[in-house]
Amino acid sequence: MNAHDLLWGMTPAHLPADAPAWAVDAISAGHPVVVRRAIAELGYVAVGVRGRLREQRFAAEMPLAAVQRRVAPEALRDVVSSRDLPALQALAQLRSVLEQETWGVSGSAGFELATGIEALHARSDLDLILRTPKRLERADAEDLLAILDTTVCPVDLQLQTPFGAVALREWASGSRRVLLKTASGAHLVLDPWQAVA
Amino acid sequence: METLSFEFPAGQPPKGRALVGCVGSGDLEVLLEPGTPGRLTIEVQTSVNGAEQRWQHLFERIFQEQMPPAMHIDIHDFGATPGVVRLRLEQGFEEIDHD
């Protein structure tokens, strides 16, 4: 189970008592939750509940035993939508570019493609992940970013290294230190392909 | 989208400017420029509405540890956690010192 995977099977009983009403509604409606990059208690997975509004994100923990279905971002890259939105047009443009890679769709686009629930709007970015078990050289990152920046909407691609996630945009920017998001929090690092000291 | 303004007491202006961070979910972009002596002004553009108190408290906590230089800071926030905001500001302060 990895960050950005969508999980079904959570019920309102799994939510803490202080969960906001919109989160209870989302779970009651059978919406999946998103695996967060965080450490959970044994037997649990750290998840986020998505509401309709952008600020409606609620961090919770789901019992692993309750998971009925899991969809990874990779499973969503070939899902076709009938909606005509910039984020989905950008996705269509990028499929051939990323063909040889292990990549997937996350964020609102991933949620919408997995559920059919309208989460995207006309100004949504496209969130993608790219599995990079081996180091992606900065020059290659620049080349890839240049291609992503030709699409019709902003694309936020997060490189998934063995130690966490780093934004392609930042890795390509030449910034000496970059933000690596790990299960134990965010760190500024020189090399996202090295364990955080 | 919301624009928030903050002001804090500060020391002397730094020489350089710095741009750190990144446009993308869960992150923020921070532009730090020399400001008026004694004043630190911050403008936050955020995609998360209703978070003014949270920013105020976060800045207070960061600046009570050490008097910041006099700057104007422009922040474009894309739903960053307080931990990420703190890291990016620290990174910005370091870069403004070095250049």
Side-chain angles (χ1 to χ4, degrees):
Chain A
M1 217 166 280
N2 294 304
H4 304 293
D5 286 357
L6 295 168
L7 304 179
W8 281 258
M10 194 153 165
T11 70
H14 297 134
L15 286 170
D18 66 345
W22 61 258
V24 179
D25 290 347
I27 295 298
S28 303
H31 296 185
V33 293
V34 189
V35 176
R36 286 185 294 127
R37 205 180 296 282
I39 297 160
E41 277 187 60
L42 196 65
Y44 288 80
V45 54
V47 296
V49 184
R50 288 179 65 103
R52 201 170 42 81
L53 302 176
R54 184 158 190 166
E55 52 267 36
Q56 291 178 336
R57 300 287 185 270
F58 184 73
E61 291 192 354
M62 176 180 182
L64 283 168
V67 176
Q68 289 174 353
R69 180 174 173 230
R70 177 176 79 99
V71 170
E74 287 92 325
L76 300 169
R77 60 193 206 192
D78 295 320
V79 177
V80 177
S81 165
S82 59
R83 294 227 293 158
D84 185 28
L85 290 167
L88 296 169
Q89 291 164 12
L91 177 60
Q93 281 177 278
L94 291 174
R95 278 194 189 105
S96 59
V97 174
L98 295 167
E99 205 174 25
Q100 302 300 321
E101 310 286 344
T102 306
W103 65 284
V105 190
S106 56
S108 306
F111 190 84
E112 174 160 338
L113 292 174
T115 61
I117 299 162
E118 295 191 354
L120 288 167
H121 53 81
R123 292 195 309 167
S124 296
D125 293 357
L126 175 62
D127 293 311
L128 300 178
I129 60 130
L130 179 65
R131 308 266 181 222
T132 47
K134 292 201 188 115
R135 184 189 171 85
L136 179 72
E137 294 303 328
R138 292 232 192 198
D140 295 333
E142 277 177 52
D143 292 347
L144 179 56
L145 182 65
I147 297 171
L148 299 195
D149 282 346
T150 63
T151 58
V152 293
C153 89
V155 179
D156 178 6
L157 186 147
Q158 297 284 324
L159 305 170
Q160 313 290 307
T161 83
F163 303 102
V166 63
L168 173 74
R169 190 169 299 282
E170 185 168 29
W171 184 237
S173 74
S175 169
R176 199 173 65 88
R177 293 195 299 163
V178 296
L179 191 83
L180 181 69
K181 285 146 272 181
T182 76
S184 63
H187 306 268
L188 287 169
V189 301
L190 294 169
D191 182 357
W193 282 270
Q194 245 179 39
V196 177
Chain B
M1 194 63 96
E2 212 169 50
T3 304
L4 309 168
S5 299
F6 303 90
E7 192 174 326
F8 296 91
Q12 288 301 308
K15 287 202 177 65
R17 58 206 291 282
L19 176 64
V20 296
C22 189
V23 174
S25 309
D27 209 331
L28 71 163
E29 201 175 47
V30 185
L31 174 65
L32 306 95
E33 292 171 302
T36 321
R39 285 177 65 198
L40 168 65
T41 52
I42 307 177
E43 200 145 287
V44 179
Q45 253 188 53
T46 174
S47 59
V48 181
N49 291 337
E52 183 157 16
Q53 282 298 311
R54 250 188 296 154
W55 286 99
Q56 177 74 33
H57 290 149
L58 177 62
F59 291 141
E60 280 170 7
R61 280 201 306 275
I62 294 173
F63 302 138
Q64 79 185 14
E65 288 162 18
Q66 201 181 358
M67 171 84 88
M71 290 182 290
H72 178 71
I73 303 180
D74 255 318
I75 293 179
H76 287 168
D77 170 56
F78 306 92
T81 61
V84 170
V85 175
R86 183 184 275 267
L87 276 179
R88 289 302 194 190
L89 280 172
E90 284 168 5
Q91 186 185 18
F93 291 152
E94 273 179 33
E95 293 205 4
I96 218 166
D97 274 348
H98 284 162
D99 296 335

